[in-house]
């Protein structure tokens, strides 16, 4: 039941379907047993072995525990009386026809109940699958960016696709394991006891032996299943990296290297899958062989009771054998289902590992909303490290409303880290960041990011239309607002020349557009959001000179009357900033405007001279 507990929060919303499935599985198990029992009177009619009974039996009721023993004789006598009456009135063929009709009716209901049980379990399985996938996706976008610097993307994809599918398949298996098949076996054993206690006790000698042998096969199934699922994550990660970096792979003639890496992973997957498959495949033939061995012993022992001891009729023995064989099918199903459950258990562990991961950036219980930016951003004595070494040390700046602050310095000086901390992609280790005097950790993340627009060096666009990329996060934007934003971003000049204009699909990652066009779309997206604070993280560093000029015009248009924090590699883009902060190894070494810093003849002057823009 540990498996059910793990997934209970996803199963509970669909519990009515589980109850209906259980109800119809009970009826299915009952009618499966009745179907086999109904063979007995048919055989007796066929071979004229019925007890002739011309007086209708009378039911005396149940007044004590001992009276329960009268049920079986009463039912047998009633059936014998019915068959005797029909045979005398219409002949044995009519009696045989009635018995065959009874069998057909029982098997019709048995299969109807089986269909209804599967009908309702479908809603449970697919509903749980949908909810788990939705929960994982929500968790994926809720978890901080730092989580994905440690995880392979392909492994996460494997969990939301393959592992969740494994969980779905095992849900049917587990309901069969705890309801359908055990009840079929239980009802069959009860019927077997009613027919012959002696023969049934003899059967029970062999059942524990069979169960022990089958359990040995499945012992290490979960660990093998986990290896298969982990390796699936590895080769999906390789595939994702290959598709993302195809230009680099081809440019460096690295196709053989990645091909080898992928094939090594699929070979490991092949070997793990073979071991797992062999264990699973061994279950069915083993259980069937053990079942047939038990049946063979029954044939010998039961046959002697019919032929020698005369303690069992031929019809009862055939019915008993049918019941014994009936047990084989659910026993095989249980052994198969137990393997599926173990595989599903391993998959559930991998799925729940993501779902149970706590985000270190969760909003506080009493986190505040904030809709406006009124005074200043204050960064006071902050220190931060991604892993072991601090990338920012005792860093402090104040950004007044309406001012443009530029951060410059060598690579690795901590400029982009400031952008990550302001947008609260990461939390600082020491110090505080405040907006209008409120620590951003006391605000909702959504409120902090709602006040900010972010344009990064890498133009992150989606495989959709230009219009939908621009209006990301502003779903209610009108066509007029989208047009205005694109003009401010200097993007309309190329959009109007596209065959479908704003409805043009830009391909995966904006692959149909140039670098400058993609960056201007990113700026248009930020303009449409119309945030009071704009963060530009090296927004022009990846562009050629012509594209840079077009983008720079767009940036200047966007920054008018806004508070802006500009992280720049190319110093030509920040000459007009109100304050330029020069950073080195996570500390501020100089600050002032362009002219002031040039006059200091310090690090800023060296950077300017290297770029030859003074």
């Amino acid at each position: 039941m540990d498996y059910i507990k793990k997934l209970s929060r996803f199963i509970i919303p669909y519990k009515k379907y589980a109850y209906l499935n259980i109800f119809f599985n009970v009826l299915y198990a009952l009618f499966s047993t009745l179907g086999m029992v109904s063979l007995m009177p048919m055989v007796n009619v066929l071979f004229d072995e019925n007890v002739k009974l011309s007086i209708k039996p009378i039911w005396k009721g149940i007044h004590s525990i001992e009276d329960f023993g009268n049920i079986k004789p009463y039912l047998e006598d009633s059936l014998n009386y019915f068959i005797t009456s029909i045979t005398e009135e219409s002949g044995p063929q009519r009696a045989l026809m009635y018995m065959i009709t009874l069998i057909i009716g029982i098997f019709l209901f048995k299969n109807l109940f089986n269909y209804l049980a599967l009908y309702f379990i479908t809603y449970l399985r697919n509903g749980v699958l949908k909810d788990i996938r939705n929960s994982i996706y929500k968790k994926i976008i809720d978890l901080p960016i730092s989580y994905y610097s440690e995880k392979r993307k392909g492994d996460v994809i494997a969990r939301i696709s393959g592992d969740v599918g494994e969980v779905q398949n095992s849900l049917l298996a587990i309901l069969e394991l705890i309801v359908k098949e055990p009840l079929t076996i239980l009802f069959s054993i009860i019927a077997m006891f009613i027919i012959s206690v002696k023969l049934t006790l003899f059967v029970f000698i062999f059942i524990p032996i069979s169960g022990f042998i089958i359990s040995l096969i499945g012992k290490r199934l979960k660990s093998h299943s986990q290896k298969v699922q982990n390796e699936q994550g590895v080769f999906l990660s390789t595939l994702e990296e290959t598709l993302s970096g195809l230009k680099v792979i081809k440019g460096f003639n690295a196709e053989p290297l990645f091909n080898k890496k992928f094939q090594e992973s699929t070979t490991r997957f092949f070997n793990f899958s073979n071991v797992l498959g062999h264990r699973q495949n061994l279950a069915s033939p083993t259980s069937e062989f053990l079942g047939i061995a038990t049946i063979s012993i029954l044939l010998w022992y039961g046959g002697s009771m019919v032929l020698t001891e005369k303690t069992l009729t031929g019809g009862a023995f055939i019915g008993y054998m049918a019941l014994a064989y009936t047990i084989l099918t659910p026993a095989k199903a249980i052994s198969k289902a137990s393997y599926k459950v173990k595989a599903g258990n391993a998959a559930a562990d991998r799925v729940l590992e993501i779902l149970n991961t706590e985000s270190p950036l969760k909003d506080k219980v009493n986190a505040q909303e904030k809709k406006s930016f009124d005074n200043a951003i204050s960064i006071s004595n902050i220190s931060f490290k991604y892993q072991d070494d601090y990338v920012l040390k005792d860093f402090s700046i104040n950004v007044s409303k309406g001012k443009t602050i530029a951060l410059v310095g060598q690579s690795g000086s901590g400029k982009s880290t400031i952008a990550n901390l302001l947008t609260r992609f990461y939390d600082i280790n020491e110090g505080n960041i405040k907006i209008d005097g409120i620590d951003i950790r006391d605000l909702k993340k959504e409120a902090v990011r709602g006040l900010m627009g972010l344009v990064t060096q890498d133009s992150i666009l989606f495989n959709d239309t230009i219009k939908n990329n621009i209006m990301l996060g502003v779903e209610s934007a009108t066509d007029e607002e989208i047009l205005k934003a694109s003009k401010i971003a200097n993007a309309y000049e190329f959009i109007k020349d596209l065959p479908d204009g704003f409805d043009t699909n830009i391909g995966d990652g904006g692959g149909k557009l140039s670098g400058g066009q993609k960056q201007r779309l990113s700026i248009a997206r930020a303009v449409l959001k119309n945030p009071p604070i704009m963060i530009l993280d090296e927004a022009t560093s990846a562009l050629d000179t012509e594209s840079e000029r077009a983008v720079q015009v767009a940036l200047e248009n966007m920054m008018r009357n806004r508070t802006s924090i500009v992280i720049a590699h190319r110093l030509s883009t920040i000459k007009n900033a109100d304050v330029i902060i020069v950073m080195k190894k996570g500390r501020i070494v100089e600050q002032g405007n362009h002219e002031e810093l040039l006059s200091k003849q310090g690090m800023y002057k060296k950077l300017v001279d290297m770029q030859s823009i003074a």
Side-chain angles (χ1 to χ4, degrees):
M1 296 303 289
D2 181 51
Y3 184 70
I4 293 289
K5 284 180 186 175
K6 287 178 183 177
L7 301 171
S8 59
R9 57 179 150 152
F10 300 105
I11 295 171
I12 286 171
Y14 302 96
K15 61 184 178 183
K16 68 176 181 180
Y17 297 115
Y19 293 147
L20 286 167
N21 171 266
I22 290 168
F23 173 72
F24 285 111
N25 272 332
V26 170
L27 293 176
Y28 166 81
L30 179 61
F31 275 75
S32 290
T33 303
L34 290 175
M36 296 300 105
V37 171
S38 65
L39 293 173
M40 292 165 53
M42 185 194 74
V43 172
N44 286 338
V45 169
L46 198 60
F47 294 103
D48 195 24
E49 290 188 348
N50 283 302
V51 176
K52 303 292 188 291
L53 196 63
S54 54
I55 301 171
K56 186 177 181 179
I58 298 170
W59 174 243
K60 297 176 182 178
I62 298 175
H63 305 290
S64 63
I65 296 174
E66 288 77 15
D67 289 337
F68 279 99
N70 297 328
I71 296 175
K72 180 186 174 186
Y74 173 76
L75 292 174
E76 287 178 345
D77 289 345
S78 296
L79 183 63
N80 287 330
Y81 170 75
F82 174 75
I83 293 171
T84 301
S85 301
I86 295 297
T87 303
E88 289 177 354
E89 288 176 16
S90 307
Q93 271 190 309
R94 177 64 62 88
L96 182 61
M97 186 184 73
Y98 281 153
M99 292 302 100
I100 292 171
T101 303
L102 174 67
I103 291 171
I104 291 171
I106 289 172
F107 275 89
L108 173 65
F109 279 107
K110 170 194 166 184
N111 286 284
L112 174 64
F113 294 141
N114 187 41
Y115 169 75
L116 290 172
L118 293 171
Y119 177 85
F120 289 112
I121 197 65
T122 299
Y123 288 100
L124 172 64
R125 291 171 65 204
N126 292 336
V128 169
L129 176 74
K130 172 180 72 73
D131 290 351
I132 291 178
R133 280 202 172 128
N134 288 345
S135 295
I136 293 180
Y137 186 79
K138 186 176 184 301
K139 177 62 79 169
I140 284 170
I141 56 179
D142 282 347
L143 285 169
I145 290 171
S146 57
Y147 178 81
Y148 300 102
S149 61
E150 300 166 7
K151 292 283 182 182
R152 287 176 174 267
K153 291 177 188 173
D155 186 59
V156 175
I157 293 168
R159 294 185 195 212
I160 201 172
S161 54
D163 289 349
V164 174
E166 193 72 56
V167 168
Q168 182 208 29
N169 291 333
S170 65
L171 269 179
L172 178 61
I174 201 164
L175 282 169
E176 288 178 344
L177 191 65
I178 63 175
V179 180
K180 181 180 178 180
E181 311 304 354
L183 279 177
T184 304
I185 293 172
L186 177 64
F187 290 151
S188 296
I189 288 173
I190 291 171
M192 288 162 69
F193 265 113
I194 291 171
I195 294 169
S196 174
V197 174
K198 182 181 177 182
L199 197 54
T200 306
L201 289 173
F202 179 77
V203 171
F204 274 16
I205 297 170
F206 299 96
I207 289 176
I209 298 170
S210 302
F212 174 72
I213 294 171
I214 291 171
S215 70
L216 288 177
I217 299 169
K219 257 188 176 178
R220 294 185 61 203
L221 195 71
K222 182 179 175 182
S223 61
H224 287 302
S225 181
Q226 194 119 29
K227 286 179 181 177
V228 169
Q229 288 151 356
N230 288 339
E231 197 58 49
Q232 188 177 21
V234 172
F235 73 68
L236 281 174
S237 288
T238 307
L239 176 61
E240 190 273 334
E241 288 171 352
T242 301
L243 293 174
S244 300
L246 203 54
K247 282 185 181 178
V248 175
I249 292 170
K250 288 182 177 293
F252 284 85
N253 290 325
E255 294 97 330
L257 176 66
F258 274 79
N259 194 27
K260 180 186 176 187
K261 185 178 177 182
F262 187 80
Q263 288 188 17
E264 285 173 351
S265 179
T266 53
T267 300
R268 287 192 299 272
F269 184 80
F270 169 78
N271 292 330
F272 293 150
S273 297
N274 284 346
V275 174
L276 181 65
H278 293 331
R279 283 185 173 270
Q280 288 176 329
N281 294 336
L282 192 59
S284 180
T286 303
S287 59
E288 184 165 330
F289 173 76
L290 292 170
I292 289 296
T294 305
I295 292 289
S296 301
I297 295 167
L298 268 178
L299 280 170
W300 170 78
Y301 188 74
S304 66
M305 291 174 69
V306 175
L307 299 172
T308 308
E309 299 175 21
K310 306 292 185 182
T311 53
L312 204 64
T313 64
F317 179 60
I318 288 175
Y320 189 95
M321 293 303 298
L323 286 167
Y325 194 79
T326 299
I327 292 176
L328 285 183
T329 302
K332 279 201 300 182
I334 286 173
S335 66
K336 278 185 177 179
S338 67
Y339 296 149
K340 280 186 182 177
V341 169
K342 284 171 185 171
N345 203 3
D349 287 341
R350 282 167 49 83
V351 167
L352 291 170
E353 183 188 332
I354 292 181
L355 290 176
N356 295 336
T357 300
E358 287 293 329
S359 172
L361 298 179
K362 284 177 71 173
D363 288 334
K364 292 181 178 179
V365 177
N366 57 347
Q368 303 174 44
E369 286 280 3
K370 186 167 177 55
K371 299 291 185 183
S372 63
F373 173 56
D374 305 311
N375 299 309
I377 299 170
S378 169
I379 301 176
S380 304
N381 307 112
I382 66 169
S383 296
F384 175 76
K385 57 184 177 181
Y386 289 103
Q387 290 180 332
D388 299 326
D389 300 324
Y390 280 96
V391 291
L392 287 175
K393 303 162 196 167
D394 198 29
F395 182 93
S396 299
I397 60 170
N398 197 71
V399 185
S400 299
K401 183 178 180 181
K403 298 293 184 182
T404 296
I405 304 295
L407 302 174
V408 301
Q410 298 168 334
S411 295
S413 59
K415 306 185 299 296
S416 294
T417 299
I418 298 293
N420 288 335
L421 296 176
L422 278 171
T423 46
R424 213 177 162 214
F425 293 152
Y426 298 85
D427 265 345
I428 53 178
N429 299 108
E430 298 170 21
N432 60 69
I433 300 173
K434 294 181 178 179
I435 298 176
D436 293 340
I438 306 171
D439 195 309
I440 62 171
R441 289 169 292 190
D442 295 327
L443 295 170
K444 290 184 177 178
K445 293 193 299 290
E446 186 179 336
V448 172
R449 293 166 189 167
L451 296 172
M452 299 178 185
L454 180 64
V455 181
T456 60
Q457 176 181 351
D458 299 321
S459 305
I460 299 171
L461 300 173
F462 302 95
N463 194 344
D464 207 334
T465 62
I466 286 176
K467 178 181 177 180
N468 288 339
N469 270 282
I470 292 176
M471 63 190 293
L472 183 74
V474 191
E475 295 179 28
S476 59
T478 63
D479 289 346
E480 187 179 340
E481 289 169 333
I482 294 168
L483 177 63
K484 184 179 177 182
S486 68
K487 285 181 176 178
I488 291 172
N490 209 9
Y492 185 65
E493 64 167 308
F494 75 84
I495 294 173
K496 61 183 172 58
D497 295 328
L498 295 172
D500 296 316
F502 284 96
D503 293 320
T504 302
N505 188 289
I506 61 173
D508 189 34
K512 296 179 182 178
L513 304 177
S514 70
Q517 290 171 338
K518 287 194 286 186
Q519 195 64 294
R520 279 179 275 173
L521 279 191
S522 297
I523 294 168
R525 182 167 62 197
V527 170
L528 184 66
K529 185 180 178 184
N530 195 27
I533 303 165
M534 193 64 69
I535 300 172
L536 308 174
D537 187 1
E538 301 195 1
T540 62
S541 63
L543 304 178
D544 58 72
T545 305
E546 186 178 348
S547 296
E548 182 189 351
R549 284 178 186 153
V551 170
Q552 187 59 36
V553 171
L555 291 174
E556 288 169 2
N557 292 338
M558 180 177 67
M559 289 191 294
R560 286 196 187 106
N561 304 317
R562 277 183 223 276
T563 306
S564 301
I565 297 169
V566 183
I567 296 160
H569 177 68
R570 293 187 182 179
L571 304 183
S572 58
T573 61
I574 49 91
K575 287 171 70 174
N576 298 323
D578 295 300
V579 178
I580 299 172
I581 294 171
V582 185
M583 298 177 63
K584 184 177 182 181
K585 295 183 178 179
R587 296 183 186 274
I588 298 173
V589 292
E590 292 176 349
Q591 59 181 309
N593 62 34
H594 180 66
E595 286 74 20
E596 289 171 349
L597 291 174
L598 284 177
S599 65
K600 288 182 179 179
Q601 299 290 313
M603 184 175 173
Y604 182 76
K605 177 70 164 62
K606 289 180 182 177
L607 292 172
V608 169
D609 289 342
M610 281 191 286
Q611 294 192 20
S612 303
I613 64 148

